[in-house]
Amino acid sequence: GENVEQHPSTLSVQEGDSAVIKCTYSDSASNYFPWYKQELGKGPQLIIDIRSNVGEKKDQRIAVTLNKTAKHFSLHITETQPEDSAVYFCAASPPGTYKYIFGTGTRLKVLA
Amino acid sequence: SQTIHQWPATLVQPVGSPLSLECTVEGTSNPNLYWYRQAAGRGLQLLFYSVGIGQISSEVPQNLSASRPQDRQFILSSKKLLLSDSGFYLCAWSPVGPGDGYTFGSGTRLTVV
C-alpha cells in the first residue's frame, strides 16, 4: 500500500525567510496530493493541492511542486510570517481509494 | 456551501464509561465520511470511513466503533473507554468519488481519566 514520508519533523525559520517541507510517496499510481495546515487545537485545513498531471501550483506565498519520476512533492512558503507557524501535513491519494495516506507532519515555527 | 459540525469540542470521561461523538455535514449529499484520531504531537490515524449509509470500513481494530444512521451523520462510539483512547478526534468529509479533497471538522479533545 501507499506510504508517505515527510521531512523535516520540525522547522524553524526567521520571519521573511522561505520554508520548504518535503514528502515522498511509494505508490506511483497516486494522483492527488493535498497539503494541510493545522493550528493548535483546530482541525487541519487544506491550503493547497496538486494533481499528478501538473508539475507545480502556486497560490500567493505558497507553492507545491511534484516530481512524479522521483515520487516526491514539496511545499514552499515564501516570505514567512508568524501566522504561518503551525503543523503542516502532506498526503497522497492512491487511485480508486476513498482515503488519504498522511505524512507524519512538520511543526513550522516562524521566529519574529 | 458545505459545512461540517462536530461536537462536543472537549470531553473528559472516566475509564470504563461510554462514548458518543457526533459529526454532521450540511450542504451536500452522499458524502464520504471519515473519523481520524490524533495523539498529542502525532500524525493523523484513520479509524473509520464510510461511503454510504450503513457502510463502515474499519482501519484499525480497537475499542471503538462507528455508525452512519443517516446520509450526513457519522457517529463514533465506545462501550467502555480506555486511557489509551485519549486524543484529538477529527471528523472529515469528501465529495463522492475517490481522490477528492477532505474537509475536516474542528475536532473533539477527549481525555480519559
Side-chain angles (χ1 to χ4, degrees):
Chain A
E2 176 66 279
N3 182 53
V4 177
E5 295 188 359
Q6 183 172 347
H7 299 281
S9 57
T10 60
L11 178 61
S12 294
V13 300
Q14 290 294 132
E15 183 178 359
D17 288 350
S18 296
V20 180
I21 302 170
K22 299 181 179 180
C23 289
T24 60
Y25 60 99
S26 60
D27 188 343
S28 57
S30 289
N31 57 12
Y32 177 67
F33 307 92
W35 284 90
Y36 285 84
K37 175 184 180 182
Q38 185 178 28
E39 297 178 344
L40 192 63
K42 297 183 178 180
Q45 286 196 312
L46 178 70
I47 56 172
I48 196 167
D49 56 11
I50 192 167
R51 296 196 180 271
S52 57
N53 59 347
V54 176
E56 183 175 0
K57 184 176 179 180
K58 190 174 182 179
D59 182 4
Q60 299 183 356
R61 295 187 297 109
I62 295 174
V64 57
T65 58
L66 172 65
N67 184 326
K68 289 189 293 182
T69 302
K71 290 187 286 187
H72 69 70
F73 56 113
S74 300
L75 177 71
H76 304 254
I77 306 174
T78 59
E79 302 173 18
T80 53
Q81 301 168 4
E83 52 265 39
D84 294 329
S85 296
V87 179
Y88 292 80
F89 291 97
C90 64
S93 178
T97 69
Y98 296 92
K99 53 189 180 182
Y100 294 169
I101 308 302
F102 282 90
T104 49
T106 296
R107 183 172 299 279
L108 174 64
K109 296 181 182 179
V110 179
L111 307 172
Chain B
S1 63
Q2 302 90 358
T3 56
I4 180 168
H5 302 281
Q6 189 178 345
W7 68 92
T10 59
L11 192 59
V12 180
Q13 292 283 95
V15 169
S17 65
L19 173 73
S20 181
L21 302 181
E22 188 165 343
C23 173
T24 59
V25 180
E26 296 179 354
T28 188
S29 297
N30 196 29
N32 297 329
L33 296 171
Y34 309 84
W35 278 112
Y36 279 83
R37 178 170 61 196
Q38 188 174 30
R42 304 292 293 275
L44 299 161
Q45 180 188 34
L46 179 62
L47 302 176
F48 302 94
Y49 70 94
S50 172
V51 299
I53 296 174
Q55 301 179 56
I56 307 295
S57 296
S58 174
E59 289 293 300
V60 182
Q62 54 198 322
N63 186 41
L64 301 169
S65 62
S67 62
R68 184 171 178 172
Q70 301 180 40
D71 180 43
R72 292 169 291 177
Q73 183 185 30
F74 206 22
I75 297 172
L76 183 68
S77 303
S78 174
K79 291 182 179 178
K80 289 185 178 182
L81 284 169
L82 307 172
L83 287 174
S84 57
D85 292 323
S86 293
F88 192 48
Y89 288 82
L90 290 156
C91 181
W93 78 274
S94 70
V96 173
D100 291 322
Y102 279 13
T103 299
F104 283 92
S106 53
T108 294
R109 173 78 57 194
L110 172 65
T111 304
V112 182
V113 296

